[in-house]
Amino acid sequence: IAAYRARGVRVGVLAVDPSSPFTGGAVLGDRVRMQTHSLDAGVYIRSMASRGHLGGLSTAAPQALRVFDAAGFDVVLVETVGVGQSEVEIASAADTTLVLLAPGMGDGIQVAKAGILEIGDIFVINKADRDGVQHLQREIRNMIALAGGHEPTQWRPPVVRTIASEATGIDDVVEQIDAHRAAQQASGDWGRRRLRRSITEIESLALAQIRQRFRVGDEQRLADLARAVRDGELDPFSAADRLLDGL
């Protein structure tokens, strides 16, 4: 945030916290770590609970990002609940995806997971003053090389070292984000990525509306079809076709 504010850039921050599987509540404590920016008129921080949504974001996150854009923020930073092989929804919502790792925490194995390797546009090794940083950096670069598929003109994910507590390497991260944007715009991938994002969002909203129609107007038909499937009178595929025919 500080690196962008030094440039006079207005920054929006969307921080997604995991929700309790029992109460549905969330601490929403991300903003506590950003108190130095809480009174900055050029920074707006919005915390959001995942509410059980899988993928690392919240169901409302795409719409929240559109509000940030409409409000005129130059840069929007999105912090996910954390990622594994399946919590990679951020890749379809962001123009540039950063994967943050730390040495000595088994993150080399984490990088080896296909989902993480494939979504990373930039890999950032934080706490680079710890032992094992060179080993982790070497592992990441080896994984990127093994993944292959990089044409000479295609973006190759860089590995950047940072020490966040000392603000070391932050400018390098921002420079790589700028470089990634320039490369994507030059190749045309920028527009194609945003098009895919719009398609995904439309599909998600359409599916949500279909589910809502099932709950409101077709509960009885769905229950009748379910009983027919349970009793072996109908297969699930035919039942699904009949349910959709009634929409």
Side-chain angles (χ1 to χ4, degrees), residues 115-196:
I116 297 298
L117 186 63
E118 291 164 2
I119 70 166
D121 296 311
I122 301 169
F123 289 91
V124 180
I125 302 177
N126 191 35
K127 302 180 181 178
D129 52 343
R130 288 186 174 183
D131 293 335
V133 62
Q134 292 182 346
H135 177 69
L136 178 57
Q137 184 169 350
R138 186 166 55 251
E139 282 187 330
I140 297 171
R141 286 177 172 166
N142 287 340
M143 294 295 178
I144 294 172
L146 287 172
H150 296 288
E151 300 295 333
T153 57
Q154 189 178 358
W155 175 261
R156 188 180 183 87
V159 183
V160 184
R161 297 186 188 185
T162 64
I163 306 175
S165 59
E166 301 175 5
T168 300
I170 305 302
D171 289 337
D172 294 335
V173 174
V174 174
E175 287 178 8
Q176 290 297 339
I177 294 173
D178 292 341
H180 178 253
R181 176 169 185 164
Q184 294 289 292
Q185 289 177 331
S187 66
D189 286 343
W190 189 267
R192 287 190 289 270
R193 181 178 287 200
R194 290 200 165 196
L195 178 61
R196 288 195 301 269

Side-chain angles (χ1 to χ4, degrees), residues 36-50:
T36 54
H37 304 286
S38 60
L39 299 179
D40 188 339
V43 178
Y44 179 76
I45 303 169
R46 177 68 167 89
S47 295
M48 183 176 289
S50 65

